[in-house]
Amino acid sequence: MTRRVVGAVIVGITALILSACSSSDETASDSTSSSAPVPVTSPVTLTSSTGPNEVLPPPYIASATWADTAVGPSLQIAPTINGRRVQSPTAGTEAWREVLALDPGADTPGMKAQFDCHWTFARLVEPNKPTWNLEPNRPVVTPEEMIASRCNPGMPEE
């Protein structure tokens, strides 16, 4: 729903800009130019360095390193700058594939759920956190419990 609204707003703004350009061009050009607005036939994607439609290329994960911590073994995942900023709906899936390429042993339901939570929420709440720490000893919980525990169910945050 939000994307449709944003898309409609972008198309509307684009039409206004094109219409204004068409009107100002009419006064500066010769009599053969048309003053009719230019039709917008396809959506226009506007991007900026932090815009909602930003598409940044992989890699999204810089490293995945195991560490011994107070809560047990922890896979410390360091996202790249693009991994921190990308807004593509498929980037999280690509980032998880990168984690598994770095450490195939991370492929467990609990680790994937922790990663998904960090990808979805930690990037927004704490965008400069150096690593996202995933622990295999954490329980598998419902999405609601995962969010309520700030992506760290069953024991304190590492």
Side-chain angles (χ1 to χ4, degrees):
M1 172 81 174
T2 302
R3 286 187 176 196
R4 287 187 202 154
V5 171
V6 170
V9 169
I10 290 170
V11 170
I13 291 170
T14 304
L16 287 172
I17 291 169
L18 291 175
S19 177
C21 289
S22 176
S23 297
S24 64
D25 288 348
E26 178 183 340
T27 59
S29 63
D30 65 28
S31 62
T32 60
S33 66
S34 168
S35 63
V38 176
V40 177
T41 57
S42 62
V44 176
T45 301
L46 300 177
T47 60
S48 69
S49 62
T50 58
N53 296 321
E54 187 170 18
V55 177
L56 298 169
Y60 301 128
I61 305 300
S63 65
T65 308
W66 284 99
D68 289 321
T69 69
V71 298
S74 179
L75 184 59
Q76 298 179 337
I77 298 171
T80 63
I81 291 173
N82 283 2
R84 294 178 189 283
R85 294 175 45 197
V86 68
Q87 298 297 315
S88 166
T90 60
T93 301
E94 173 59 30
W96 180 245
R97 278 194 288 256
E98 291 177 26
V99 169
L100 296 182
L102 293 168
D103 189 333
D107 195 12
T108 69
M111 297 278 279
K112 172 73 162 83
Q114 290 173 63
F115 177 83
D116 289 344
C117 186
H118 281 83
W119 183 263
T120 303
F121 299 108
R123 293 186 322 145
L124 299 173
V125 174
E126 198 173 345
N128 296 318
K129 185 177 181 187
T131 61
W132 304 328
N133 304 329
L134 313 182
E135 292 81 27
N137 297 335
R138 292 191 185 276
V140 176
V141 298
T142 66
E144 294 80 17
E145 291 172 297
M146 182 66 74
I147 294 166
S149 68
R150 297 179 46 114
C151 307
N152 296 287
M155 60 186 97
E157 180 177 354
E158 173 44 41

